[in-house]
């Protein structure tokens, strides 16, 4: 961690003085930004730890529906009106991925702590900036990668790290494929939606409902596809098991098994992407139930689970939500039934009080998202092999790939607005 400069120390002091740090018997006051499926669920899960006082959504219908979450909520479509409120201590950010960073940066600067959904970022550059700002402002941010708080995934990590399965030889990650389809004709914007605000820093496009609510996941304008959707959950565990959750791979190559439809969903929906670490270890991410495999140098078993296979020299572990198996079952301990989302949220609220680092802080959320972004960049460049420098966070000598490290932000929804 770099030594703090006078400027960063002053920023920390200012942020702390503008922020009430809740004591043991205090109920922190919460604001939900992004009232979709995940936001509503998180707000209910957080009710045991804090008091919801404000909600925000750029879709008035969703905002109105979420107003029933608690009595007397302050409601607004503009997150800046939420962040300027002194009665908000904590922000739950459950917006689509392309909005995460701007809102998280603004919330940190306003002195709020944050539970932010994964993938933490849309680009690698965003993650570097967010990590820096978190250090400067001394804010607590928990990334919503709740598998970190799941005993089964924790057990898999422990078995790999302790070498109880021998030397790790390969890792395969199975991911649900993305939707595929289109083209989608432009439609009139529904009156309840502020479409310009929804698009925010992303490029301006004609409205089609397929670009919004849940389905934004299938467009590169708003995300990096399966590699950062489910990918962020499983790859977070892989990087943790490898001791690489503040680092990354040194190369990536990939194959798309199904090309997107012109003017339709444009993320690569079915693919094989193989990363290599400095040790030579291969980590292969593959979409499950892939329709066309063909013969490729990267082909892996087609019966992949939505989860992770760690193959060691002495045993193999398969781990997914609710299930862990090992070819040497005696290595597995009994796992208590634990609600991993609740455990992850509890860890966040404990850290808000103690000011300790939560289990998935900004640097780790950023590195996991970057892992997915690197793979998506590779697919977008035709799958050619890319070399990655995890220290400089650049593709050495590769101007074409480096152009994807950051994205232009559409004004006025840019860093300048902070
Ligand atoms: N951790 C998990 O297991 C998990 C599960 C589901 C979703 N997620 C994540 O949660 C996030 C939301 O997913 P979802 O499925 O609920 O999406 P969604 O489309 O249902 O909801 C997103 C909401 O954010 C609103 N929104 C968009 N821009 C906004 C802005 N600038 N200010 C305020 N509101 C804005 C939208 O109108 C929408 O209501 C995503 O990042 C997703 O990856 C995580």
């Amino acid at each position: 961690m770099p030594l703090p400069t006078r400027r960063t120390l002053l920023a920390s002091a200012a942020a702390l003085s503008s922020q009430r740090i809740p004591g043991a018997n205090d109920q922190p006051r919460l604001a939900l930004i992004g009232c979709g499926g995940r936001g509503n669920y998180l707000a209910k899960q957080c009710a045991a730890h804090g008091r919801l006082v404000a909600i925000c959504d750029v879709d008035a219908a969703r905002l109105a529906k979420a107003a029933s979450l608690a009595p007397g909520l302050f409601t607004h479509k503009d997150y800046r009106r939420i962040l300027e409120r002194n009665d908000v201590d904590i922000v739950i950010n459950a917006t689509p991925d392309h909005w995460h960073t701007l809102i998280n940066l603004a919330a940190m600067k306003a002195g709020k702590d944050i539970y932010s959904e994964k993938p933490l970022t849309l680009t690698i550059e965003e993650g570097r900036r967010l990590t820096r700002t978190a250090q400067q402002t001394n804010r607590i941010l928990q990334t919503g990668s709740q598998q970190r708080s799941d005993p089964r995934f924790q057990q898999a990590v422990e078995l790999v790290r302790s070498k109880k399965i021998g030397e790790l030889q390969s890792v395969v990650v199975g991911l649900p494929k993305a939707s595929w389809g289109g083209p989608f004709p432009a439609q009139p914007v529904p009156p309840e939606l502020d479409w310009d605000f929804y698009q925010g820093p992303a490029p301006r496009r004609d409205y089609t409902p397929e670009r919004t609510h849940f389905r934004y996941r299938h467009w590169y304008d708003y995300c990096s596809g399966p590699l950062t959707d489910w990918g962020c959950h499983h790859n977070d565990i892989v990087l943790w098991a490898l001791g690489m959750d503040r680092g990354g791979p040194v190369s990536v190559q990939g194959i798309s098994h199904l090309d997107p439809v012109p003017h339709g969903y444009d993320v690569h929906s079915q693919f094989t992407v193989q990363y290599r670490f400095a040790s030579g270890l291969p980590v292969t991410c593959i979409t499950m139930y892939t329709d066309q495999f063909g013969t490729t140098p990267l082909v892996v078993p087609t019966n992949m689970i939505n989860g992770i296979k760690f193959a060691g020299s002495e045993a193999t572990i398969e781990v997914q939500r609710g299930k862990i198996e090992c070819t040497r079952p005696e290595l597995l301990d009994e796992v208590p039934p634990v609600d991993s989302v609740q455990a992850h949220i509890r860890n966040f609220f404990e850290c808000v009080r103690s000011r300790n680092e939560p289990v998935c802080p900004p640097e780790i959320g950023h590195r996991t998202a970057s892992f997915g972004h690197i793979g998506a960049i590779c697919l977008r460049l035709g799958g050619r092999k890319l070399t990655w420098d995890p220290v400089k966070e650049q593709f050495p000598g590769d101007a074409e790939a480096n152009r994807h490290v950051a994205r232009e932000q559409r004004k006025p929804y840019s860093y300048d607005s902070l």
Side-chain angles (χ1 to χ4, degrees):
M1 189 185 290
L3 285 175
T5 61
R6 184 170 171 277
R7 200 160 146 247
T8 60
L9 283 172
L10 285 177
S12 313
L16 278 175
S17 65
S18 70
Q19 177 69 4
R20 190 185 63 109
I21 296 174
N25 299 318
D26 265 343
Q27 275 260 301
R29 295 155 305 177
L30 318 176
L32 170 64
I33 305 183
C35 305
R38 190 62 180 176
N40 277 280
Y41 173 75
L42 285 176
K44 288 175 194 152
Q45 291 288 317
C46 287
H49 306 276
R51 184 161 58 86
L52 189 66
V53 296
I55 56 171
C56 169
D57 203 294
V58 293
D59 181 329
R62 288 194 154 199
L63 192 61
K65 201 163 170 211
S68 64
L69 280 167
L73 290 176
F74 174 79
T75 64
H76 212 285
K77 78 167 177 187
D78 188 334
Y79 68 93
R80 291 166 297 188
R81 301 291 82 79
I82 303 283
L83 298 181
E84 69 196 15
R85 291 182 72 89
N86 290 329
D87 66 352
V88 170
D89 305 306
I90 287 172
V91 165
I92 303 166
N93 185 352
T95 55
D97 315 2
H98 65 290
W99 261 112
H100 287 174
T101 298
L102 276 180
I103 292 174
N104 287 337
L105 287 172
M108 283 176 180
K109 290 187 175 184
K112 318 295 184 195
D113 295 321
I114 307 161
Y115 187 97
S116 176
E117 266 311 337
K118 47 51 64 181
L120 194 52
T121 61
L122 183 68
T123 70
I124 296 154
E125 184 273 337
E126 282 185 0
R128 292 167 60 167
R129 189 181 286 254
L130 188 76
T131 305
R132 244 181 358 252
T133 305
Q135 285 168 359
Q136 290 166 355
T137 57
N138 206 20
R139 292 297 92 203
I140 301 293
L141 182 149
Q142 174 86 298
T143 313
S145 298
Q146 71 271 4
Q147 286 181 188
R148 241 177 216 251
S149 297
D150 182 321
R152 289 187 182 82
F153 288 100
Q154 289 168 348
Q155 191 171 27
V157 168
E158 205 281 318
L159 289 172
V160 173
R161 293 187 81 146
S162 62
K163 294 191 190 290
K164 291 207 175 101
I165 60 165
E167 287 301 323
L168 190 59
Q169 295 179 327
S170 68
V171 182
V172 180
V173 174
L175 302 173
K177 62 187 181 187
S179 289
W180 178 91
F184 303 112
Q187 293 190 30
V189 179
E192 67 273 16
L193 180 68
D194 186 333
W195 175 227
D196 190 69
F197 209 156
Y198 186 99
Q199 295 175 90
R204 187 192 304 276
R205 307 287 185 204
D206 287 340
Y207 171 77
T208 167
E210 279 77 15
R211 284 185 170 271
T212 65
H213 306 338
F214 191 82
R215 290 160 289 178
Y216 71 82
R217 285 168 168 73
H218 310 308
W219 302 88
Y220 279 127
D221 282 344
Y222 319 117
C223 72
S224 281
L227 284 165
T228 53
D229 195 12
W230 269 91
C232 264
H233 288 301
H234 298 330
N235 292 328
D236 175 54
I237 301 300
V238 172
L239 292 173
W240 193 16
L242 268 48
M244 283 285 165
D245 55 3
R246 292 171 199 259
V250 295
S251 72
V252 60
Q253 59 186 316
I255 291 169
S256 166
H257 301 298
L258 185 62
D259 287 336
V261 182
H263 307 294
Y265 292 133
D266 64 4
V267 298
H268 291 88
S269 65
Q270 300 181 30
F271 53 78
T272 305
V273 168
Q274 189 166 78
Y275 301 84
R276 290 256 173 202
F277 284 80
S279 62
L281 180 82
V283 173
T284 308
C285 293
I286 182 158
T287 45
M288 301 150 60
Y289 320 118
T290 296
D291 296 330
Q292 310 163 13
F293 270 96
T295 312
T296 83
L298 302 180
V299 162
V300 292
T302 53
N303 60 344
M304 263 313 291
I305 54 169
N306 178 6
I308 313 165
K309 281 187 190 176
F310 292 103
S313 54
E314 288 162 36
T316 295
I317 304 166
E318 281 192 13
V319 61
Q320 55 188 304
R321 291 193 186 172
K323 193 170 173 191
I324 181 166
E325 290 176 346
C326 182
T327 49
R328 285 183 53 202
E330 70 276 13
L331 292 178
L332 297 178
D333 292 328
E334 194 78 8
V335 176
V338 169
D339 179 339
S340 58
V341 178
Q342 200 39 250
H344 205 59
I345 286 173
R346 194 176 324 114
N347 170 260
F348 168 64
F349 281 96
E350 281 164 11
C351 293
V352 167
R353 290 181 203 288
S354 67
R355 311 311 290 171
N356 291 331
E357 192 173 66
V359 291
C360 204
E363 171 80 25
I364 293 178
H366 152 55
R367 292 294 187 151
T368 301
S370 290
F371 189 83
H373 298 323
I374 294 165
I377 292 168
C378 168
L379 288 172
R380 296 180 83 178
L381 297 179
R384 71 177 170 86
K385 184 173 178 184
L386 305 179
T387 303
W388 174 247
D389 180 337
V391 177
K392 292 191 179 141
E393 299 185 71
Q394 292 265 315
F395 299 96
D398 190 335
E400 189 189 28
N402 279 328
R403 272 199 286 281
H404 291 266
V405 167
R407 297 193 196 188
E408 199 173 324
Q409 297 172 312
R410 189 174 63 97
K411 290 192 176 180
Y413 308 100
S414 68
Y415 296 137
D416 297 345
S417 68
L418 295 169

